Amino acid sequence: MKRVLNIVPVPVPPESLDAFASQLSADLVHPDFENVFVSARAGGGTLDSAYETTLADAFVLDAGCRAEEQGYAAVCVNSMSDSALAALRSRLTIPVVAPSQATMLLACLLGKRFSVVTMWPEWHELYHKAARENGLTGRLASVRDIGVRPDAAELLAGKEEFVFAAVEREARAAVEEDGADVIILGSTTMHQSHAYLSSVLDVPVLNPGVVAYKLCELLVQTGLAHSKRAYPSPERLQDDLLSAVASVFPSKD
């Protein structure tokens, strides 16, 4: 069994990890693979700023830096922030994948221009940054949001009726007004809206957590991983640097 470590970049209660894990239904996971979901011990809460994303980078690196020694076959960052993606690729030789990069590159295979539909304005820079870093600014038609503060613990629970309609409205505007021919959901916390949106739009809709995870499977099965010339390993490891920081949600064990 090949295990994949999925890291949620903000601290959430252990029971909330089930909501994130539910995006990978049994029919999507290859029978040779097993998924383990963890969250950052501390750091950012809503990733609403460069300050918070920098904290998230540090604690996602902390959560994943020992994955290879722990026997994982790959690491998947479960957030469109792509937190610590480059740092984990530097630290590890097993595949490390994150959703913004993965979905944007896949969108370029499926269409000419893509739009991101997300929860709130504070996340817009996440996608513009990813597009810049991957040389895709010319393919990004727009970033739109529904003006709803995200909830990393409850996701969309209890808000489905309103959120689904708002996401559909912004996605249709992205297609009809902005020229997008592929839609990317702007957060793994929005995965519950994917089936609905796919059923009402006539363009591909990419579910970021699923895309990133399936790319992990592909890389593991084909024996591929990131180039260490692009992501050289550090001369000195400091994996315990953040070990003294207490967990926001300590284990009950």
Side-chain angles (χ1 to χ4, degrees), residues 16-107:
S16 296
L17 289 173
D18 291 341
F20 284 93
S22 68
Q23 66 195 280
L24 300 179
S25 57
D27 61 314
L28 288 173
V29 179
H30 189 281
D32 290 343
F33 285 77
E34 176 186 2
N35 284 282
V36 176
F37 276 78
V38 301
S39 69
R41 289 187 296 112
T46 57
L47 307 186
D48 60 0
S49 59
Y51 178 85
E52 284 229 332
T53 56
T54 299
L55 291 174
D57 285 341
F59 284 97
V60 170
L61 176 61
D62 174 70
C65 64
R66 302 169 186 82
E68 199 161 351
E69 290 90 334
Q70 293 168 346
Y72 287 98
V75 173
C76 188
V77 179
N78 196 259
S79 169
M80 288 287 280
S81 62
D82 285 7
S83 299
L85 175 61
L88 284 171
R89 286 178 173 172
S90 173
R91 174 62 179 85
L92 305 173
T93 63
I94 57 175
V96 182
V97 180
S100 265
Q101 184 184 67
T103 52
M104 288 184 182
L105 292 174
L106 179 58

Side-chain angles (χ1 to χ4, degrees), residues 9 27 41 52 66-67 75 78 91 103 109-110 112 115 130 138 140-143 150 157 161 188 208 249:
D27 61 314
R41 289 187 296 112
E52 284 229 332
R66 302 169 186 82
V75 173
N78 196 259
R91 174 62 179 85
T103 52
L109 291 177
L110 302 178
K112 295 179 179 179
S115 286
L140 176 59
S142 61
V143 176
E161 184 175 353
T188 59
F249 298 101

